[in-house]
Amino acid sequence: MARASTVRIVALGLLLGLLLPALPGGLTVHAQNYRPPPGPYAPSPGPYAPYDAPPAPRGRAGGPVDADAAMRMLAGRGFSNISVIRRRGATILLEANGPRGERVQVVVDGASGAISGMKVIGFGDKRY
């Protein structure tokens, strides 16, 4: 008798658990009574946030870029002291100081204008 009533209670609980969230104003369950804090909170920016920032508008959408456009794109993302090392096909290799002050080599895809690679080679004017 006790076993049958336990099975009925468990079945009723499972049924209610499936039905209540589907109802308007259903229950929201948080682990161990945790509720998110009130207010507009956004996740903190990741370590690559300065590099993920969109470039300044160029007046045209996408397409091939030359060395001058690549330099302007990097300057719009916070890079400084930019110099073109060489261009090989559709790839442009540049050196610049990153937004955090590190000296980097940047590979820019000349066909799309996207940064396709980056390597830290020093800090400020010093090389490793």
Side-chain angles (χ1 to χ4, degrees), residues 35-41:
R35 301 204 190 298
Y41 294 102

Side-chain angles (χ1 to χ4, degrees), residues 32-124:
Q32 298 178 358
N33 291 330
Y34 172 79
R35 301 204 190 298
Y41 294 102
S44 61
Y48 298 105
Y51 307 108
D52 292 335
R58 299 187 309 206
R60 59 186 170 123
V65 297
D66 58 352
D68 292 333
M71 290 174 67
R72 287 193 306 273
M73 182 266 302
L74 289 177
R77 290 185 179 206
F79 289 82
S80 61
N81 197 11
I82 305 165
S83 60
V84 177
I85 303 300
R86 69 176 153 274
R87 181 173 186 137
R88 185 176 294 171
T91 303
I92 305 167
L93 183 65
L94 302 106
E95 279 192 14
N97 286 348
R100 296 183 180 150
E102 71 278 14
R103 190 74 180 157
V104 293
Q105 275 187 346
V106 182
V107 180
V108 174
D109 182 18
S112 66
I115 296 176
S116 59
M118 183 168 30
K119 177 173 74 170
V120 177
I121 58 173
F123 189 81

Side-chain angles (χ1 to χ4, degrees), residues 17-31:
L18 292 174
L19 291 179
L20 284 180
L23 297 174
L27 300 175
T28 303
V29 179
H30 296 283

